[in-house]
Amino acid sequence: MAELSLFLKAFTKAITEEMEAMRRDLGAHEIPLGIPQASPPSYENNCIQFTRPRDADKLYIGMECSLRCDQREVRIEIASLDDTALVVQSDIPIDSDCTQYALIVYPWFLYERLISRINAIGTSDSFYPESALRLFAKVPPNLTSDQPAQLEHADLNESQLRAVNLCSQSDTAFVWGPPGTGKTRTLAAVLAELLARGTRTLVVSTTHVAVDQALANLSVLPFVRSHIAAGKVVRVGHAVSTPDGLDLDSIAAKINAECSQKLHVLQDRKVLRSHQERQLKKMLTTLSEGKQDEQLGLFSSPPQPRTDIRRDLHGVVGSILAEQWLLAPSPSLKAALAQRLRRVQKVLNGLETRTGALRKELAQGVRTAIQRADLVFCTMSTAYVHRILCEERFDAVVIEEAGMAVLPTLFYCACLAKNKVIAVGDPRQLPPIVQSRNPAVQRAMGRNIFEVSGALEPGFSHVALLNIQYRMHPHIGQLVSDLYYDHQLLHDRKFSAKPVPISPFIEHVLVLVDTSGHTRCEITQRHSRLNVESAAITAALAHQAAATGQWTVGIITPYSEQAKYIGQLVQEDGRSLSNVESSTVHRFQGQERDIILFDTVDTEPLKPGILLNGPSGADQLLNVSLSRARSKLIVLADIAFYLRRAPDGEVGRLIGALQHNPHCLQIQASALEDIH
């Protein structure tokens, strides 16, 4: 198929170039680990277990990286990762008595694995490339059924029901879900419909958070509960927020409960016999090196008990037999110990054989858990990294956060679907993250699937727009709708136009704080931007908003150093403000807060930053930042600077929209000390 060959070649070339850019610009990432623990009995030799590290969101089951043990590095693979523990395995023994351990993660590893899986599409007939080509608008979609939704969905609005019906009837569908429009709730209804029709479905997303949000919304539906109880819904790759009992390990453990119990018993016996083996070897060495019997002759007194091996011998053969053996001559004692050592080693070999067979049964249990499942959830990376999932195929594939997915990964996941592919997301929010600036890489990896497929073009038949938002106060929702959704977003009737009484500026929902002439921007040693004065203003406003502890506060900024500095200011006066979070735009994707403070940071003597004013992606970053707010939105910006240096940029466009909004309060930073 010529079209398929062109896609695979373009993807392979782009991924290779992107990997080079990552090696050049990013380098490896180090994740410190604690002291190793005993590995679970269900794992093979050369495994070692650690407490789950802080940066575990960068890790995947099946991921290959290096384990640094003091000064030595060992190539390892992530064998297991859950909310408490990390297990790694290697082809060679791993030292368990080092003083420091760290994982060395290579960000391009996932792309190395992706290239191999992309190449497999062209050489194996087990894939369904037609499904991917339909998603990419190279093959026309088909109606697979004229039947609308079969289940009752009384809690869905009209646009959400249209989306469910489209996904039920078409073999290719796009669900466009702007912020707060119930995208995850709609997705749960779509999955319930697929489950009701007996459609075996893989659900993937770019992040663990999105996967678990989809799973949590699905798990509360009455129709789905019986399927969950029967182990028909499985989450591969355990994250902190995964609902209890739905992860693959838990379901496989239920399947293999009897096998696991046997393995634990055998493992305990192995530990005991291994200890005996070490003690026997130690005693034989002690006797070989000892000189107690060298002077014994024909008329010597009887040998005295060996005090240096008495305790070990008691532990191995028991008290009575030990005291008898201790009175024997050294040759006889050595022979008895050697014979006992051979017996222990024979038992150990037998235990190793039996535990190996049980481990294989457990591994088959994991495979069985996936094969029995009607709904499988995982990240997109897990779909091509996890060995068992690489062998699985599905009736349908549903892609959450499809607008953020790099196209080669999305193409691969779509090739796992025999009959149906559904893309769910919002192309007006965060785009795919691509390191290389190469135009070919940007074209093959930096665009979103909604754009590539033409799903946003007028007359596109298999896209459903969710158009009623339930998150934002109408004044915030209207601002977002006007700026980024062509005035198409409506607001749920439950919303009141009255401001929510949140300090500061209790009477206002939209606030524009003008920092002109009061701040200065600099570049830090980490090549990020920092505006100390703007940070201080933002932190002071956050303190006022969070003072009662009643409201959640999000501080969003495009620069990591600014977010870190504001976070320090918020906490430095000794008060614990657990309801305040300061972070970058990407960290807030998929989240929401009662009040959002958006610090734009940029000002003299620097030029406007490319993140908020560049030709690509700035509108999406701003959209995500503003649409996290439920009840109040405060924007901090040097108005004169932006209107002078970037009047046509995205921040300038936002400033203009706020200045012309009758519901927005504009205030000078110098006047803030008078606000109470």
Side-chain angles (χ1 to χ4, degrees):
M1 188 183 299
E3 196 79 59
L4 174 63
S5 178
L6 290 175
F7 268 100
L8 300 183
K9 287 180 180 179
F11 287 152
T12 300
K13 182 178 180 180
I15 295 170
T16 302
E17 175 62 32
E18 175 68 2
M19 288 167 57
E20 289 302 315
M22 295 174 78
R23 290 190 180 98
R24 181 179 63 248
D25 301 336
L26 299 180
H29 178 73
E30 183 171 319
I31 300 178
L33 300 174
I35 301 300
Q37 308 161 4
S39 297
S42 57
Y43 288 95
E44 308 253 352
N45 291 333
N46 303 331
C47 283
I48 191 168
Q49 178 172 303
F50 299 90
T51 300
R52 179 187 173 100
R54 290 184 178 180
D55 291 344
D57 58 337
K58 296 181 174 64
L59 305 177
Y60 300 85
I61 294 175
M63 184 177 190
E64 296 174 357
C65 48
S66 292
L67 177 67
R68 179 181 294 155
C69 315
D70 289 340
Q71 302 303 314
R72 180 183 177 220
E73 285 194 18
V74 180
R75 191 72 174 175
I76 59 93
E77 180 177 304
I78 306 298
S80 176
L81 179 67
D82 58 29
D83 54 357
T84 61
L86 163 72
V87 178
V88 303
Q89 62 185 12
S90 176
D91 293 332
I92 61 175
I94 303 174
D95 295 333
S96 59
D97 55 355
C98 296
T99 58
Q100 290 184 328
Y101 293 85
L103 282 179
I104 311 301
V105 178
Y106 304 96
W108 50 88
F109 155 75
L110 292 174
Y111 282 141
E112 288 178 346
R113 187 66 63 87
L114 180 59
I115 283 182
S116 68
R117 300 307 299 160
I118 287 289
N119 291 334
I121 295 174
T123 59
S124 172
D125 58 3
S126 67
F127 293 94
Y128 302 97
E130 298 85 359
S131 296
L133 293 174
R134 282 198 301 268
L135 188 69
F136 279 68
K138 297 303 180 182
V139 175
N142 301 302
L143 284 178
T144 58
S145 169
D146 58 359
Q147 297 295 321
Q150 296 181 359
L151 302 176
E152 291 290 335
H153 301 287
D155 60 334
L156 299 186
N157 64 43
E158 185 178 345
S159 67
Q160 293 168 340
L161 281 173
R162 282 199 302 268
V164 174
N165 287 331
L166 172 66
C167 294
S168 299
Q169 296 172 324
S170 178
D171 63 5
T172 307
F174 291 83
V175 178
W176 180 5
T181 55
K183 175 170 62 71
T184 308
R185 182 196 306 168
T186 305
L187 173 59
V190 169
L191 297 177
E193 282 291 332
L194 293 174
L195 201 58
R197 294 166 186 254
T199 303
R200 186 165 184 258
T201 304
L202 173 67
V203 185
V204 296
S205 184
T206 54
T207 65
H208 286 289
V209 172
V211 171
D212 286 335
Q213 285 179 345
L215 186 52
N217 276 266
L218 178 73
S219 63
V220 300
L221 298 181
F223 171 77
V224 181
R225 290 172 186 165
S226 61
H227 295 269
I228 291 176
K232 298 293 186 179
V233 180
V234 177
R235 165 71 153 99
V236 182
H238 192 108
V240 175
S241 56
T242 299
D244 291 340
L246 296 184
D247 60 284
L248 176 60
D249 289 342
S250 296
I251 294 175
K254 291 179 181 178
I255 293 174
N256 287 318
E258 182 179 348
C259 179
S260 296
Q261 182 61 35
K262 292 179 181 178
L263 189 58
H264 279 292
V265 171
L266 290 179
Q267 192 67 20
D268 289 342
R269 292 176 61 187
K270 276 184 61 179
V271 170
L272 175 61
R273 294 299 183 180
S274 296
H275 176 73
Q276 291 178 345
E277 180 187 38
R278 289 192 297 271
Q279 297 304 98
L280 286 164
K281 289 180 177 179
K282 176 184 173 184
M283 287 186 285
L284 284 169
T285 300
T286 300
L287 288 174
S288 297
E289 296 175 349
K291 299 182 179 180
Q292 297 185 45
D293 295 335
E294 286 183 358
Q295 304 302 320
L296 289 178
L298 193 60
F299 302 103
S300 299
S301 58
Q304 298 301 310
R306 282 86 167 175
T307 57
D308 49 352
I309 67 170
R310 171 176 274 113
R311 184 194 304 175
D312 291 339
L313 192 56
H314 274 249
V316 172
V317 300
S319 300
I320 297 176
L321 191 58
E323 292 300 326
Q324 294 176 1
W325 285 17
L326 287 169
L327 295 174
S330 285
S332 299
L333 179 55
K334 287 182 183 179
L337 290 174
Q339 183 181 16
R340 180 57 63 99
L341 177 60
R342 288 191 294 271
R343 288 172 57 188
V344 168
Q345 289 175 332
K346 184 177 180 179
V347 172
L348 270 174
N349 289 336
L351 289 172
E352 185 63 37
T353 300
R354 292 168 65 187
T355 54
L358 286 172
R359 287 194 192 101
K360 289 181 180 179
E361 287 187 36
L362 283 176
Q364 185 60 39
V366 170
R367 186 182 302 276
T368 300
I370 292 179
Q371 291 175 343
R372 288 181 183 178
D374 293 325
L375 276 175
V376 176
F377 289 76
C378 67
T379 62
M380 300 180 77
S381 299
T382 300
Y384 62 81
V385 169
H386 199 288
R387 286 191 175 92
I388 296 178
L389 281 181
C390 286
E391 302 171 6
E392 290 295 309
R393 300 296 180 264
F394 300 85
D395 298 323
V397 170
V398 177
I399 304 162
E400 162 69 312
E401 290 188 332
M404 294 178 61
V406 290
L407 296 178
T409 306
L410 193 149
F411 192 93
Y412 172 81
C413 291
C415 286
L416 304 178
K418 181 179 180 181
N419 299 320
K420 186 189 294 284
V421 181
I422 299 169
V424 182
D426 183 2
R428 302 285 169 81
Q429 295 198 43
L430 293 181
I433 299 175
V434 179
Q435 191 71 23
S436 173
R437 296 294 96 193
N438 185 306
V441 178
Q442 287 293 317
R443 178 173 176 79
M445 299 179 69
R447 297 183 297 163
N448 71 71
I449 187 60
F450 287 81
E451 173 189 358
V452 170
S453 66
L456 304 183
E457 298 295 327
F460 192 85
S461 61
H462 46 291
V463 61
L465 171 67
L466 309 181
N467 64 353
I468 300 179
Q469 69 88 13
Y470 298 86
R471 173 190 299 165
M472 298 169 279
H473 186 283
H475 295 170
I476 302 172
Q478 196 61 52
L479 175 71
V480 171
S481 177
D482 293 346
L483 283 171
Y484 307 114
Y485 295 99
D486 302 321
H487 319 287
Q488 295 184 77
L489 285 189
L490 306 175
H491 315 298
D492 182 42
R493 295 177 181 177
K494 71 177 182 181
F495 282 122
S496 168
K498 294 182 179 180
V500 178
I502 303 177
S503 294
F505 320 113
I506 290 179
E507 298 299 323
H508 299 275
V509 174
L510 298 172
V511 180
L512 175 60
V513 177
D514 185 6
T515 62
S516 299
H518 292 275
T519 67
R520 185 179 186 278
C521 195
E522 60 183 287
I523 299 291
T524 68
Q525 292 181 344
R526 298 192 177 189
H527 308 290
S528 184
R529 295 194 175 201
L530 178 65
N531 187 325
V532 172
E533 296 83 1
S534 180
I537 297 170
T538 303
L541 293 173
H543 270 294
Q544 293 184 55
T548 65
Q550 182 180 359
W551 312 104
T552 57
V553 182
I555 301 170
I556 302 180
T557 170
Y559 305 108
S560 58
E561 287 298 293
Q562 184 79 355
K564 181 179 178 181
Y565 183 67
I566 295 174
Q568 292 171 347
L569 291 179
V570 168
Q571 302 293 343
E572 71 178 3
D573 68 351
R575 286 185 292 175
S576 177
L577 295 178
S578 58
N579 58 335
V580 179
E581 180 179 357
S582 175
S583 193
T584 58
V585 182
H586 287 82
R587 288 285 186 179
F588 272 96
Q589 172 75 16
Q591 301 188 51
E592 55 189 80
R593 297 292 187 274
D594 293 316
I595 177 171
I596 288 292
L597 293 105
F598 179 50
D599 182 4
T600 59
V601 182
D602 292 342
T603 189
E604 302 290 0
L606 303 180
K607 297 178 180 179
I610 192 172
L611 285 175
L612 295 184
N613 296 278
S616 176
D619 56 340
Q620 294 155 306
L621 288 171
L622 280 169
N623 180 20
V624 171
S625 301
L626 306 184
S627 60
R628 302 308 95 194
R630 286 193 289 257
S631 301
K632 186 185 292 288
L633 172 66
I634 301 177
V635 177
L636 294 91
D638 185 330
I639 295 177
F641 168 79
Y642 281 112
L643 296 184
R644 181 175 67 253
R645 302 290 295 269
D648 298 325
E650 283 301 318
V651 177
R653 196 162 77 97
L654 170 61
I655 290 172
L658 289 171
Q659 288 182 324
H660 290 89
N661 192 310
H663 305 292
C664 179
L665 169 68
Q666 180 175 328
I667 187 169
Q668 295 293 321
S670 58
L672 289 181
E673 59 188 30
D674 299 327
I675 300 294
H676 299 285

